[in-house]
Each structure stands twice: as C-alpha cells, then as structure tokens.
Amino acid sequence: MLIRLKSSATQHQYRELLDYLEREGYEVKKYSTDESVCLSILKDAASLDADDVRAFDAVEEVVDSRPPYRRASRALKPEDTVVDVGGVPIGGERTRIIAGPCSVEDEGQMHRIATHLGGKGVFILRGGAYKPRTSPYAFQGLGEKGLKLLRGAADSQGMRVVSEVPAAELIERLDHYVDMYQVGARNMHNTHLLKALGRTNKPVLIKRAPSATIEEWLLAAEYVLAGGNPSVVLVERGIRSFARHVRYTLDVSAIPIIKELSHLPVLVDPSHAAGRRRLVPPLAQAALAAGADGLLIEVHDKPSLARSDGAQSLDFDGFDELHAALQSLAAVLGRPLD
Ligand code: PEP
Ligand code: MN
C-alpha cells in the first residue's frame, strides 16, 4: 500500500496519521519526490483498510494494488486449484456435474434419482436436508433423517454427497453424512459459519449471495481458506436485478472474471437462476462455454410433486437430453464430461 500525502498537510496532520499506523503495528517508509511525499507500508498490510487511511486529513491518495482476498487470489497461486471431493475432482481437465433434487423428500425418491443419475455417470449427488426457505410456512427439509436418506441413496450408487449446512452448530451433524458442505446463497455473508468451515477438512461449496459483489464472494471464500481449509468451490447461481422474466439473473460474466482473479474452481447453478426448467439447458450451455468448471443442476423424478423448486427441476428425460448436449459441448471445449 502506498499513501501519497497532501502538499498542504500540516505537521500535526502528518503526525496523526503516523501515530495511527505505528499504533496498529505497521512499519512505514517515507519517500519524497519532486511532486509529493509518500509513505509505503513495509509489513504485511492485509488487515489495513485503505478507506480508514483515506479518512486522515493528511492523505491525498491511497494506492492499494493488493486484492483484499489474498489466499483466494491468482496473484498468490497462479495455477488452478482442483478440489477433491472424496476422490472426485472439481476443476482441472474434466467438466463436473453435481445433480439431484432441491430437497430430500423420502427414500423412494432419493433411490430413484440416485439410480438414474449414477447410471448417467454423475458422481456427486445433491439434496437439501435443511432448507433455507423464503417463507417459514414452506417445507423446511427432513433434517438428519434427510441426510441419512441422501447418504444411503448415494452409497448405493458409489456417489459422493453435498448438502447445505445452514449453521455452524450443525457442521458436526452433517459431517457424518456429507463429502462436501454447501453454503447457501443466503448464508454467504455468515462469517461465523465460514470460519467454522475453515476449521473442517472437507471441501466447501460457496453459493454467491444474490446481491454480493465478486469481491464479497471471494472474501467469503477467503474466510474458509484463512481458517486452514484449502478446498473451496464457488457457485454462481444468479443475482438480483431489475429483470422479472427469470427468478434471478445469471451473471455469466462472473465466470471469466473469477477465472482471472482467483485459482478456485467455479461452477454454475442454472436451476436457481432460471426458476423454470426450460431455461436450464441454454443457461447450462452458456456457463460451460464461458469457462465454468461444471454445473449444479436440480433433478427430480416427478418435478410436479416436488416439495421445493419443482418448476425449475429437470425430469429424467430432460436431464438425459441436456446431458447429451453438454457432452458434445464439453468435448468441443476440450474438457470432457463423464
Ligand atoms: C439450493 O441449492 O437448493 C438452494 C437453496 O440454493 P441457493 O442457496 O442458491 O438459493
Ligand atoms: Mn433449490
């Protein structure tokens, strides 16, 4: 961080700034050029907020080229991260699909869906047991019973499991059943949960909150990485915009931007963005074409009977058709799909 001082700064204003920086433990070097006086922070300044420095009367300009998300940044780690989900990689040479119902509902449903998806070469099964519903009157999920059904169905097909963890207090309970934790869009800002997941040793999938900037999303990942857990997967699932023709607006541009700024894998969830099943295939294809490492797709054996998100869930025929189209596309893109 470089701080350029105002030429009009008084000795008192300068002293005030210097005292602050020293009190916070930063070592400062002073430079003078013909035009101005600058201070450069020598020590790791990750915790120093440029806006706090700008607020001092002596300061003309702060130049801060470091991204605030250090560990998530490509500057720190140029090569792509491949996240290992119980032996199944996300990122790297192949395109990955995670699929399954929005909510775990009963044993038969989970068994039918896992059998179909497992037969198609899908290695990671999704399903919510703790559902963060907008309305408190909507189906809230089966809780631990749902986790058991999800695990049982996945095991019968040799699949891995991802499910949402809604609170830090539930991590231990989920740990018995899942291979990867999902942080829901509504929980992306829950720093208490993110910190707790940083202390676990399983991968964490972080959905982008509907109004989060790219920087806020990467800082959510940074919480997990800073806690010592290196396995984070980002998921773009649509953001809130003025548009009313879809549930959320899929931010396709976020994919190449994340690839530029970060080494972490990025998946796209076209289902929650679309809100309607016929929009899922075009959004899924756009996502892969834009460089996504894979997709998170809601699939149900009888979408019209689903207890949540039926309108956006693909039935088996719909999934099979999309899967075939994605296989052709992924082959053209040079990142084959199983
Ligand atoms: C889900 O995956 O079912 C879900 C609730 O997603 P989101 O957190 O993106 O709304
Ligand atoms: Mn859902």
Side-chain angles (χ1 to χ4, degrees):
M1 184 186 287
L2 202 70
I3 305 165
R4 194 156 65 81
L5 303 180
K6 284 181 186 152
S7 53
S8 61
T10 63
Q11 194 56 31
H12 173 71
Q13 289 168 336
Y14 172 60
R15 199 60 247 170
E16 213 175 30
L17 171 66
L18 215 56
D19 284 350
Y20 168 77
L21 293 170
E22 282 169 7
R23 213 172 40 245
E24 295 291 313
Y26 296 106
E27 207 182 316
V28 173
K29 188 166 162 43
K30 188 173 171 186
Y31 299 93
S32 295
T33 67
D34 290 347
E35 282 130 46
S36 53
V37 177
C38 293
L39 299 179
S40 146
I41 309 286
L42 295 179
K43 212 184 90 185
D44 176 22
S47 56
L48 185 56
D49 187 331
D51 282 339
D52 286 345
V53 178
R54 280 187 193 104
F56 281 84
D57 291 331
V59 174
E60 176 76 41
E61 187 189 13
V62 177
V63 181
D64 189 13
S65 55
R66 315 148 313 153
Y69 43 87
R70 305 283 302 287
R71 291 174 171 83
S73 83
R74 209 177 261 290
L76 191 94
K77 180 174 180 284
E79 70 280 6
D80 287 335
T81 287
V82 177
V83 168
D84 180 275
V85 183
V88 177
I90 297 182
E93 286 168 11
R94 302 188 78 81
T95 299
R96 179 66 51 214
I97 288 191
I98 302 174
C102 178
S103 301
V104 178
E105 297 166 10
D106 60 64
E107 191 169 2
Q109 170 233 22
M110 282 318 302
H111 181 74
R112 289 187 293 276
I113 295 173
T115 305
H116 187 82
L117 295 175
K120 278 277 153 191
V122 173
F123 292 120
I124 308 177
L125 185 65
R126 62 148 288 150
Y130 297 92
K131 296 304 300 176
R133 306 304 299 282
T134 304
S135 164
Y137 307 116
F139 176 57
Q140 302 288 309
L142 297 181
E144 189 163 4
K145 182 176 169 224
L147 293 173
K148 281 190 185 130
L149 298 179
L150 177 66
R151 182 79 256 173
D155 284 349
S156 74
Q157 297 298 317
M159 296 169 89
R160 308 294 173 265
V161 157
V162 58
S163 197
E164 176 161 355
V165 57
E169 294 68 33
L170 285 166
I171 291 176
E172 232 178 277
R173 193 170 309 165
L174 261 88
D175 188 51
H176 297 297
Y177 305 100
V178 306
D179 301 294
M180 174 159 63
Y181 300 106
Q182 175 170 327
V183 175
R186 294 158 186 79
N187 250 328
M188 191 211 86
H189 294 289
N190 183 345
T191 54
H192 179 65
L193 173 62
L194 296 168
K195 276 187 207 171
L197 289 168
R199 295 189 289 270
T200 68
N201 57 7
K202 283 186 183 161
V204 180
L205 179 159
I206 304 180
K207 296 264 197 120
R208 180 183 184 182
S211 61
T213 62
I214 298 278
E215 186 171 304
E216 287 165 339
W217 190 17
L218 286 170
L219 280 168
E222 190 78 7
Y223 264 98
V224 177
L225 300 174
N229 184 345
S231 302
V232 174
V233 176
L234 299 165
V235 179
E236 161 63 35
R237 46 77 77 204
I239 53 175
R240 187 84 83 182
S241 80
F242 57 83
R244 287 285 165 271
H245 56 281
V246 276
R247 190 175 179 192
Y248 293 95
T249 297
L250 185 69
D251 182 7
V252 177
S253 63
I255 305 158
I257 297 283
I258 288 288
K259 287 282 162 201
E260 222 172 87
L261 298 176
S262 177
H263 52 86
L264 295 172
V266 58
L267 303 181
V268 165
D269 168 354
S271 308
H272 287 86
R276 272 168 295 161
R277 84 179 57 88
R278 69 185 153 78
L279 295 178
V280 170
L283 296 186
Q285 295 180 65
L288 292 196
D293 294 292
L295 299 159
L296 181 71
I297 302 175
E298 285 188 338
V299 178
H300 199 285
D301 57 324
K302 295 187 196 80
S304 61
L305 300 181
R307 298 190 76 182
S308 62
D309 287 349
Q312 68 197 31
S313 299
L314 298 179
D315 62 14
F316 291 166
D317 287 346
F319 179 78
D320 292 355
E321 205 178 308
L322 174 59
H323 190 258
L326 294 175
Q327 269 180 324
S328 310
L329 177 60
V332 171
L333 294 169
R335 297 182 75 190
L337 173 66
D338 298 308

